[in-house]
Amino acid sequence: MLRITTAHAALDSLMAEVVEDTFGNTWWILRLLAAGELCVCNIVDILGVPQPTVSRHLAYLRRMGLVDATREWKFAHYRLAEPGHAVHQSLINCVRTCFRGISTLDKERRKTETRVALEIRARHIAVEAPVRRGTLSH
């Protein structure tokens, strides 16, 4: 049993490396955005790559019509664009479903979904928090 588990873990690791080497940062960014809207700084933090690299990939994805962006103050938030044609829809479906069952990628997806949920909750709290002028809290 240990031999099968070890072989499965090695195959899982190999598959994650193949996906990463084949698709690179652009694929990872699309996978992250499949979980929901993220700020550039969140993508940088999750992927561990420099901000200019993330921004370059996002600019490419935006030019291709695959992602949309909104600005809040000095932060740009990106999300997957609504599919405009069948090929775009197929790509989005693949981003959301391909490579499931590879534990390394599944773990990364769950981590990102949690991060997105926390970001959404934090934004809602900031919007809903009442502003009281002239009062100091002790």
Side-chain angles (χ1 to χ4, degrees):
M1 181 68 168
L2 180 61
R3 194 177 288 165
I4 293 171
T5 304
T6 303
H8 182 69
L11 180 60
D12 183 75
S13 178
L14 176 64
M15 286 301 297
E17 286 180 36
V18 167
V19 170
E20 185 171 347
D21 290 344
T22 304
F23 299 107
N25 290 327
T26 302
W27 179 257
W28 285 111
I29 290 170
L30 287 171
R31 281 187 54 88
L32 294 178
L33 296 177
E37 185 174 294
L38 286 170
C39 177
V40 174
C41 59
N42 298 134
I43 297 170
V44 167
D45 185 46
I46 292 168
L47 292 180
V49 297
Q51 182 271 327
T53 301
V54 170
S55 292
R56 186 176 66 246
H57 286 277
L58 286 167
Y60 171 76
L61 290 168
R62 194 169 177 194
R63 283 193 308 272
M64 298 305 294
L66 299 175
V67 300
D68 289 326
T70 54
R71 285 209 163 274
E72 288 183 25
W73 192 47
K74 64 179 182 176
F75 300 101
H77 295 267
Y78 287 84
R79 67 193 164 284
L80 293 178
E82 288 297 319
H85 49 79
V87 173
H88 187 178
Q89 182 64 56
S90 293
L91 175 64
I92 298 303
N93 290 342
C94 184
V95 165
R96 289 191 170 127
T97 61
C98 289
F99 309 113
R100 289 195 183 250
I102 300 172
S103 64
T104 307
L105 301 180
D106 289 342
K107 181 180 175 184
E108 188 66 37
R109 180 179 40 78
R110 285 189 301 272
K111 178 177 148 185
T112 303
E113 288 169 349
T114 300
R115 181 72 173 265
V116 168
L118 290 171
E119 290 296 320
I120 290 169
R121 195 167 89 204
R123 273 190 258 149
H124 284 288
I125 290 170
V127 168
E128 294 173 0
V131 177
R132 296 182 184 169
R133 296 176 187 247
T135 62
L136 296 175
S137 59
H138 296 280

